[in-house]
Amino acid sequence: MRMRSTRKKVAALTVATAMVVAGCSSGTNGEGAEPELTADGKIVIDTFSPADPDTNLDTNTVTKFVSDKFKIQFRWQTTTYDAGPAREKRQVALASGDYPDMFFLIPWVDSFSQAEVLKLGQQGVAVPLETLIKEHAPNIQKALDSIPALKEMATAPDGHIYALPQWADCYHCTYPDKLWINTAWLKKLNLEMPKTTEDLRTVLKAFKTQDPNGNGEADEIPMTTAVANSTLLPYLMSAFAYSPVGTNNGVRGLLVLNGDKVDTPVDKDAWREGLTYIASLYKDGLIDPASFTQNADALQAIGDNPKAVTIGSSPVLHPGIFGHLGAEDGRDKQYDAVPPLTGPGGKSYTGLQYPSSGNGFAFMLTNKAGKEAQLAAIKMLDYIYTDEGQLQTWAGPEGVGWKKPESGDIALDENATPMYKTVPGAEKPKNTSWDALAQYNNTLAFRNAQVVPKDVYSEAGYERRLFEATKLYEGHEDKAQVFPTTSVWTDPANAAELATLKTNLDSYVTQYQLGFITGSKNIDTEWDAFVQGLDGVGMKRYLELNQQAYDKYKAGK
């Protein structure tokens, strides 16, 4: 009965996905349309973007700056940073045909996949960008020519560039599978930083039972996270098997390489051992059940609890996700990264994502945009590809979001010449930057030229704190197993099938893994059914199609 129920859900997802794709064919070609202008001559561009609670894109300082500079009047359609609803709103807009002129997204919130880009390009919804770039965007062209991986990511198999990904050489993001632990609690309880899976169990039990926050209440949460930001499963799994990072939005990859053979780790005994370990932590009450349901706002509310510090550890990219930086009581300084754990078999992996922005596509012009709107939009993006443009849009105005270096300032890379220093979040006025919306040419040289104080626990020194913490993870990745997702494009004829397979497999694997961890499914008696059911939702075909794409990629290198 369980298997039949699962297949019904998967089938429903397949139908829903097909409806979304089919709906994308609606819409008109905007190239011949008369531009919509404001009274002062600005081109109106309907723009779909995410915005955090502190940002109003209509009144944002950077919006006004860009609007004046490029004669654009943005008409925003916004989502929150909650990945699930953001993705659903985007897909509904496309399915209904009521989509905007421009999608301007953040990869770690929501973005287009390769399969979606191919389908929308073939249907004429996504406007090819390569001619616009060549003729009007020299900075984008320079980036494409100088960064081979970026060009591979951006260029579809038919030679068109239907959308652009963000490019981020973020060192700490390249190793996302981290665990942050309350070292003040470790010190108080006279515990060492955990090195093995059983060390972690001991520490989490102590957090749960020994009142490390000292308030006399059993309110400590040994480990908690949020759905979209979670690295819970991959961090813990990495002591047993290599866990592929995937692309973005918290959805893990399913593919690894075994030599030149495309494979999946999720049906292997090592994966089962990892799930068994995670389930044992959950059974002991050491993992917060809300970790599998709550969003980022709910997690941060726990971290900001005014009554007491209650979070013992959180498996997320960085500690700012589960609590605001610059807290008055200094609680944000209590957390340090736990190195990759060693499992009972001696394995100690960490996930690798390069480029760290993944292969989600963030900038897309649609056929609703007229020629004037397309030209204004690509010129705007081209400006963002400059160092000046990135500072003015990502950080905000000089003196507000960033300042010029002073004598004695040190760059993140101490061998680099300092270029800028950002204003700490607590001092920076709200709604004065585009932040992650504008991280399109965030090269290693640009990031490493940022002035960062030596004090890693100061808010201004946060980037160095993450930089230093990441050194604990570097070297634990197994590059031989990493499937080059960002460079491997599938045959356009297979794009829709692959997208459906991936959706069905993600749903199936996630459902079973959650069941095994929480105990609603018995891993001892239902593991074989899970493995056998993988082919029922298309794993064999999914591997076959990805093998074909990988072979073509290898042959063309």
Side-chain angles (χ1 to χ4, degrees), residues 152 487 548-557:
E152 286 182 347
S487 297
Q548 292 174 8
Y550 178 73
D551 290 343
K552 289 181 180 179
Y553 163 74
K554 288 284 288 184
K557 287 189 68 176

Side-chain angles (χ1 to χ4, degrees), residues 522-538:
N522 187 319
I523 198 167
D524 292 325
T525 60
E526 297 184 69
W527 175 259
D528 289 344
F530 161 68
V531 172
Q532 292 168 11
L534 283 168
D535 279 344
V537 288

Side-chain angles (χ1 to χ4, degrees), residues 354-366:
Y354 183 80
S356 55
S357 48
N359 74 336
F361 291 79
F363 178 87
M364 178 186 288
L365 294 175
T366 77

Side-chain angles (χ1 to χ4, degrees), residues 57 59-68 74 389 391-397 431-435 438:
L57 287 170
T59 60
N60 185 274
T61 303
V62 170
T63 297
K64 184 179 187 308
F65 168 74
V66 172
S67 177
D68 291 342
F74 295 96
L391 282 173
Q392 294 290 349
T393 55
W394 162 68
N431 206 35
T432 55
S433 72
W434 274 358
D435 198 49

Side-chain angles (χ1 to χ4, degrees), residues 111-429:
S111 57
F112 290 99
S113 67
Q114 286 178 329
E116 287 176 313
V117 167
L118 278 170
K119 178 61 67 175
L120 294 173
Q122 290 175 331
Q123 293 175 336
V125 174
V127 173
L129 302 174
E130 63 275 1
T131 301
L132 275 171
I133 292 171
K134 186 176 181 179
E135 295 179 356
H136 303 288
N139 299 298
I140 299 177
Q141 189 65 59
K142 180 181 177 181
L144 290 168
D145 292 340
S146 60
I147 307 174
L150 174 60
K151 192 169 186 176
E152 286 182 347
M153 290 168 64
T155 308
D158 61 8
H160 288 302
I161 296 175
Y162 294 114
L164 284 167
Q166 289 188 352
W167 179 267
D169 277 339
C170 169
Y171 174 60
H172 83 89
C173 310
T174 303
Y175 299 89
D177 298 343
K178 295 181 175 71
L179 175 67
W180 298 89
I181 201 164
N182 193 320
T183 46
W185 288 7
L186 289 179
K187 184 176 181 181
K188 181 174 182 179
L189 300 179
N190 197 29
L191 295 167
E192 297 291 327
M193 181 70 78
K195 296 182 176 62
T196 69
T197 49
E198 290 310 306
D199 288 346
L200 181 63
R201 186 193 305 276
T202 298
V203 166
L204 296 181
K205 281 185 176 180
F207 285 176
K208 180 179 175 65
T209 61
Q210 296 183 28
D211 191 30
N213 67 11
N215 67 353
E217 299 181 20
D219 56 355
E220 289 84 357
I221 305 172
M223 181 181 290
T224 190
T225 185
V227 176
N229 303 104
S230 179
T231 61
L232 188 152
L233 189 147
Y235 176 81
L236 298 175
M237 180 63 71
S238 292
F240 299 85
Y242 179 77
S243 176
V245 173
T247 53
N248 57 318
N249 306 328
V251 178
R252 300 298 293 195
L254 294 171
L255 304 176
V256 293
L257 289 178
N258 182 3
D260 280 334
K261 178 186 176 184
V262 179
D263 202 355
T264 185
V266 302
D267 59 357
K268 306 298 188 292
D269 287 344
W271 201 265
R272 176 180 179 173
E273 292 168 11
L275 288 174
T276 300
Y277 169 72
I278 299 169
S280 72
L281 297 182
Y282 185 90
K283 185 177 180 180
D284 289 344
L286 306 180
I287 296 174
D288 181 9
S291 297
F292 305 106
T293 56
Q294 68 188 356
N295 63 20
D297 292 339
L299 174 63
Q300 193 153 88
I302 297 172
D304 292 340
N305 182 352
K307 295 182 180 179
V309 177
T310 59
I311 294 179
S313 67
S314 187
V316 292
L317 178 62
H318 62 88
I321 292 173
F322 60 85
H324 283 94
L325 303 177
E328 290 185 7
D329 60 4
R331 66 178 65 189
D332 55 308
K333 302 177 182 180
Q334 295 182 7
Y335 296 88
D336 292 288
V338 183
L341 299 174
T342 300
K347 295 177 181 176
S348 181
Y349 294 122
T350 196
L352 179 72
Q353 177 166 281
Y354 183 80
S356 55
S357 48
N359 74 336
F361 291 79
F363 178 87
M364 178 186 288
L365 294 175
T366 77
N367 58 0
K368 298 289 183 75
K371 288 184 178 180
E372 293 83 357
Q374 293 175 23
L375 184 59
I378 206 69
K379 287 184 175 180
M380 174 204 73
L381 189 66
D382 191 61
Y383 176 69
I384 293 175
Y385 269 72
T386 67
D387 288 344
E388 174 195 326
Q390 190 163 189
L391 282 173
Q392 294 290 349
T393 55
W394 162 68
E398 181 180 354
V400 177
W402 64 280
K403 300 176 181 178
K404 291 179 179 177
E406 300 175 25
S407 178
D409 282 341
I410 302 171
L412 180 61
D413 179 352
E414 297 183 25
N415 296 317
T417 301
M419 182 193 304
Y420 62 96
K421 55 182 174 182
T422 57
V423 174
E427 302 173 19
K428 180 179 174 179

Side-chain angles (χ1 to χ4, degrees), residues 383-520:
Y383 176 69
I384 293 175
Y385 269 72
T386 67
D387 288 344
E388 174 195 326
Q390 190 163 189
L391 282 173
Q392 294 290 349
T393 55
W394 162 68
E398 181 180 354
V400 177
W402 64 280
K403 300 176 181 178
K404 291 179 179 177
E406 300 175 25
S407 178
D409 282 341
I410 302 171
L412 180 61
D413 179 352
E414 297 183 25
N415 296 317
T417 301
M419 182 193 304
Y420 62 96
K421 55 182 174 182
T422 57
V423 174
E427 302 173 19
K428 180 179 174 179
K430 294 179 180 178
N431 206 35
T432 55
S433 72
W434 274 358
D435 198 49
L437 274 176
Q439 287 184 309
Y440 276 87
N441 196 26
N442 207 242
T443 63
L444 193 62
F446 179 84
R447 293 185 69 95
N448 285 353
Q450 176 183 350
V451 171
V452 184
K454 287 283 192 179
D455 182 2
V456 298
Y457 294 106
S458 67
E459 190 172 353
Y462 191 61
E463 186 73 16
R464 192 176 300 280
R465 180 179 175 189
L466 302 181
F467 187 87
E468 295 298 326
T470 302
K471 292 179 181 178
L472 300 172
Y473 298 81
E474 185 176 10
H476 287 262
E477 71 275 16
D478 186 355
K479 292 182 180 179
Q481 292 194 60
V482 177
F483 182 83
T485 307
T486 58
S487 297
V488 176
W489 283 77
T490 56
D491 187 325
N494 298 330
E497 182 183 3
L498 263 173
T500 300
L501 288 169
K502 181 69 163 61
T503 298
N504 292 348
L505 285 165
D506 284 340
S507 176
Y508 179 82
V509 170
T510 299
Q511 180 185 15
Y512 259 93
Q513 287 183 158
L514 181 59
F516 290 145
I517 291 169
T518 61
S520 64

